[in-house]
């Protein structure tokens, strides 16, 4: 792997290591900057000594690596907004109370059934200057439809901090938000919302300009389904795509095309270069073309919302355009490393973005693996060669992204290669017509002779995706895949690719050992599962779900209506996948059950209970009207649990009673699932 010898490779790896270490260690800003300064001084000294004697060459390399690590730590420190003493987490009390805020609306998010959602920058709290990003939820109301990005607004509402997942093995949305420097949400009262002004910036201008372009297309005859896909393909906004269409793209292995990435940017750059083909290749002409290309690409990036995949792609193609303009051969490894380093230098939180990770892995493996297919076959027919290249490129990308994709999403689309063969040629047409239509939309209208071909091409694209997705048997779902298995999978992939590049005995041994290590890890994971025993009380809204796990076999206790659809229950399926287990039994919920030698008694809405039972755990469900003090005097349970089927007001009263009686109370509404 020659790219490992590039100095920039070691610097980038060290820089990324520093960002990761910052999230693991509690390092103060003063300490991080002191360590960076010290390492840079030692680097400078070792560089001077290295010139005089080669014996210090290794020492120079060590200080280069440590300097890049401390640079990563310092960069993450600079971008950590909570170090600012005016950040709102230092001003808002722990208790949930109504406060007055002044905010600047910065980014539009996907709406829920009840709320318009925005990322906002807090300006003040209770007339006290404040700072930081937060999510603001505005109740859906006719009067609030006119608010837009860039508006300064005052409002009154309740602040809620980010919380851990309320059920086991689910996506940690709170942690994801904190990686984006968002530490909570406000639920605004509609009658208190007032716009008091508007701020202007390049970001706000482009965001509102994007909304105007979308309005132009909404007024055209473009149908709703095709419009939402078009907005995702060209403008990077997926908020309004229907769940059905999104599911089709996921099952077909084509969900990546709904996020603007290298494929889209490459097609757009090709279209721009086609339009500029008549510009002469003189020194002035080349400079003009380069300037137009860079302005066009970055304007598109801002319009598309500056998502990690868009920034990565536009940065890479910008370097490609600059290198081509200078008449130099562009090293794709260098381009990848430079773009990654610069992006993380500006926004280190991108490192934790799934799209950023998948896009870089996919592109790296395309650059590394794709040339190897020439050893297998080089078709002489140009048409066959075109589709062979599509298969090779998509397979290379899938090899790189597959382990990480399975780790995050626990499914694998088996027909991804068929999808790419069918849609990539069509996608080129859609993007070309789409860019052409955007040029018209900039002037406030899109003629019918452009709209109709655009609509037909997107309709055909959706139809092909739906057809491929209909073969659900080729979609492998609910794949259990742990983090150790993820890392070892990449050792296996890298080992065997190295062996394929050059078949030597040491590389063969490395490949075989990596396979054995993966098998050992899987066996160890299964053994750990088979020896585990636990009970889980899930936080399920308006229903009760309890599971008992003995090894890899799970018994589910719930009402009949829940049991009939339990195989589609996201919370339960996430638990099964995360713990390498399966449902063995489904049992109707009864008042008395035994879970792992624990006597569990359930009081439901009937409020019927026996005085003879002395349970270890008491579960209250369906908001029964009970005198909890009297029950506690009779039962003396070790813990009382109120699940998500209860009224919140009831749970608050029960909690106060338990606090008085000094008995542990667990409310899944607030604390999430309970495990015993």
């Amino acid at each position: 792997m020659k790219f490992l010898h590039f100095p920039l490779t070691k610097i980038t790896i060290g820089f990324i290591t520093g960002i990761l270490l910052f999230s693991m260690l509690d390092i103060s800003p003063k300490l991080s900057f002191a360590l960076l300064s010290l390492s840079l001084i030692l680097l400078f000294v070792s560089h001077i000594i290295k010139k005089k004697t080669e014996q210090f060459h290794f020492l120079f390399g060590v200080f280069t690596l440590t300097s890049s690590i401390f640079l990563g730590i310092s960069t993450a420190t600079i971008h950590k907004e909570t170090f600012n003493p005016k950040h709102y987490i230092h001003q808002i009390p722990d208790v949930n109370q109504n406060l007055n805020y002044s905010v600047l609306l910065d980014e539009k998010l996907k709406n829920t059934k009840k709320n318009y959602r925005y990322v906002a920058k807090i300006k003040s709290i209770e007339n006290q200057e404040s700072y930081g990003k937060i999510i603001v939820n505005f109740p859906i109301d006719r009067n609030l439809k006119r608010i837009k990005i860039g508006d300064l607004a005052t409002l009154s509402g309740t602040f809620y901090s980010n919380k851990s997942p309320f059920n086991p093995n689910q996506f940690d949305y709170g942690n994801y938000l904190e990686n984006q420097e968002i530490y909570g949400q406000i639920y605004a009262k509609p009658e208190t919302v007032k716009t008091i002004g508007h701020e202007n910036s390049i970001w706000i201008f482009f965001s509102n300009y994007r909304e105007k372009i979308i309005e132009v297309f909404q007024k055209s005859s473009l149908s709703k389904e095709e419009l939402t896909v078009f907005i995702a393909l060209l403008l990077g906004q997926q908020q309004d795509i229907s769940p059905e269409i999104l599911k089709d793209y996921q099952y077909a292995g084509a969900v990546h095309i709904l996020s603007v990435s290298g494929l889209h940017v490459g097609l757009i750059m090709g279209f721009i270069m086609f339009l500029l083909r008549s510009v002469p290749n003189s020194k002035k002409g080349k400079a003009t073309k380069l300037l137009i290309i860079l302005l066009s690409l970055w304007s598109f990036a801002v319009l598309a919302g500056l998502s990690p995949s868009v920034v990565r792609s536009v940065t890479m193609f910008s370097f490609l355009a600059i290198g081509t303009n200078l008449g130099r051969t562009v090293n794709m490894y260098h381009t990848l490393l430079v773009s990654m380093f610069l992006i993380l230098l500006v926004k280190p939180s991108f490192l934790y973005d799934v799209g950023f990770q998948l896009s870089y892995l996919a592109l790296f493996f395309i650059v590394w693996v794709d040339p190897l297919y020439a050893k297998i076959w080089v078709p002489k027919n140009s048409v066959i060669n075109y589709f062979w290249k599509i298969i090779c490129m998509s397979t290379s990308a899938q090899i790189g992204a597959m382990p990480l994709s399975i780790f995050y999403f626990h499914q694998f689309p088996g027909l991804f290669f068929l999808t790419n063969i069918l849609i990539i040629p069509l996608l080129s047409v859609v993007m070309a017509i789409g860019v052409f239509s955007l040029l018209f939309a900039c002037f406030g209208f899109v003629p019918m002779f452009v709209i109709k071909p655009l609509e037909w091409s997107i309709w055909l694209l959706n139809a092909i995706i739906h057809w491929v997705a209909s073969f659900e048997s080729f979609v492998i779902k609910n794949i259990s895949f742990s983090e150790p298995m993820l890392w070892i999978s990449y050792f296996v992939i890298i080992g065997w690719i190295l062996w394929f590049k050059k078949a030597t005995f040491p590389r063969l041994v490395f490949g075989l050992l990596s396979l054995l290590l993966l098998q050992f890890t899987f066996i160890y994971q299964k053994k750990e599962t088979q020896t585990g025993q636990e009970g889980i009380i899930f936080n399920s809204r308006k229903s009760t779900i309890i599971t008992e796990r003995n090894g890899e076999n799970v018994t589910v206790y719930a009402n009949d209506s829940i049991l009939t659809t339990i195989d589609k229950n996201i919370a339960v399926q996430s638990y099964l996948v995360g713990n390498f287990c399966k449902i063995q039994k489904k049992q109707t919920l009864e008042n008395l059950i035994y879970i792992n030698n624990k006597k569990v008694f359930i009081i439901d809405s009937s409020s019927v209970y026996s005085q003879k039972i002395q349970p270890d755990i008491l579960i209250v469900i369906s908001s029964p009207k009970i005198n909890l003090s009297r029950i506690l005097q009779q039962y003396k349970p070790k813990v009382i649990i109120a699940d998500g089927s209860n009224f919140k007001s009831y749970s608050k009263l029960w909690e106060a009673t338990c606090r008085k009686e000094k008995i542990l109370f667990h409310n899944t509404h607030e604390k999430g699932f309970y495990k015993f």
Side-chain angles (χ1 to χ4, degrees), residues 217-315:
F217 283 100
Q218 287 173 338
K219 293 176 182 177
S220 69
S221 59
L222 195 62
S223 62
K224 185 177 179 180
E225 284 192 355
E226 281 70 39
L227 174 62
T228 56
V229 173
F230 167 77
I231 292 172
L233 288 173
L234 271 297
L235 298 175
Q237 305 299 301
Q238 302 180 31
Q239 294 96 327
D240 297 322
I241 294 180
S242 67
E244 293 77 16
I245 291 179
L246 192 59
K247 180 182 175 182
D248 283 346
Y249 276 79
Q250 288 172 342
Y251 282 8
V255 72
H256 60 280
I257 74 169
L258 295 177
S259 300
V260 179
S261 60
L263 178 62
H264 305 71
V265 177
L267 291 170
I268 290 171
M269 182 173 168
F271 183 72
I272 295 169
M273 293 179 71
F274 174 76
L275 295 177
L276 297 174
R277 69 189 186 281
S278 59
V279 178
N281 284 325
S282 62
K283 189 174 182 180
K284 189 175 181 181
K286 285 183 177 180
T288 303
K289 282 198 286 188
L290 178 62
L291 182 62
I292 293 173
I293 289 171
L294 294 178
L295 286 174
S296 300
L297 290 180
W298 283 102
S299 296
F300 171 74
V302 177
L303 276 175
L306 288 176
S307 67
S309 59
V310 176
V311 173
R312 185 266 305 167
S313 303
V314 171
T315 303

Side-chain angles (χ1 to χ4, degrees), residues 630-645:
R630 186 183 304 164
I631 293 173
L632 293 179
Q633 290 175 2
Q634 295 174 355
Y635 286 165
K636 296 293 182 182
K638 297 176 181 177
V639 60
I640 292 180
I641 301 157
D643 72 355
S645 65

Side-chain angles (χ1 to χ4, degrees), residues 63 74 122 129 156 158 199 250 319 331 336 339 353 361 422 429 452 468 472 489 537 543 551 559 575 614 675:
F63 288 131
S74 299
I122 287 188
E129 184 182 355
S156 178
T158 305
E199 282 196 7
Q250 288 172 342
F319 280 110
N331 186 307
L336 272 170
S339 64
D353 187 274
L361 276 171
L422 295 174
V429 176
K452 281 303 174 185
V468 176
E472 286 195 36
S489 294
I537 300 169
S543 61
N559 294 327
Y575 173 72
Q614 296 297 318
K675 180 166 72 172

Side-chain angles (χ1 to χ4, degrees), residues 141-159:
D141 186 283
R142 288 183 180 180
N143 298 325
L144 295 178
K145 283 187 177 180
R146 296 180 181 179
I147 58 176
K148 57 185 179 180
I149 294 172
D151 282 349
L152 280 165
T154 58
L155 55 93
S156 178
T158 305
F159 170 84

Side-chain angles (χ1 to χ4, degrees), residues 556-624:
V556 181
Y557 299 90
N559 294 327
D560 290 334
S561 59
I562 301 296
L563 292 176
T564 55
T565 59
I566 201 68
D567 293 331
K568 296 181 180 179
N569 187 286
I570 296 175
V572 174
Q573 290 305 315
S574 296
Y575 173 72
L576 297 175
V577 171
N579 290 278
F580 291 76
C581 52
K582 62 182 184 297
I583 295 177
Q584 184 187 40
K585 292 181 183 178
K586 300 177 183 178
Q587 293 194 4
T588 304
L589 203 61
E590 297 178 352
N591 290 103
L592 180 62
I593 55 178
Y594 289 86
I595 297 179
N596 296 333
N597 300 319
K598 299 281 187 181
K599 187 188 294 185
V600 180
F601 187 67
I602 300 170
I603 300 179
D604 56 22
S605 57
S606 65
S607 304
V608 176
Y609 56 92
S610 171
Q611 296 182 2
K612 297 179 180 179
I613 298 172
Q614 296 297 318
D616 297 301
I617 299 172
L618 178 65
I619 305 176
V620 186
I621 67 173
S622 303
S623 304

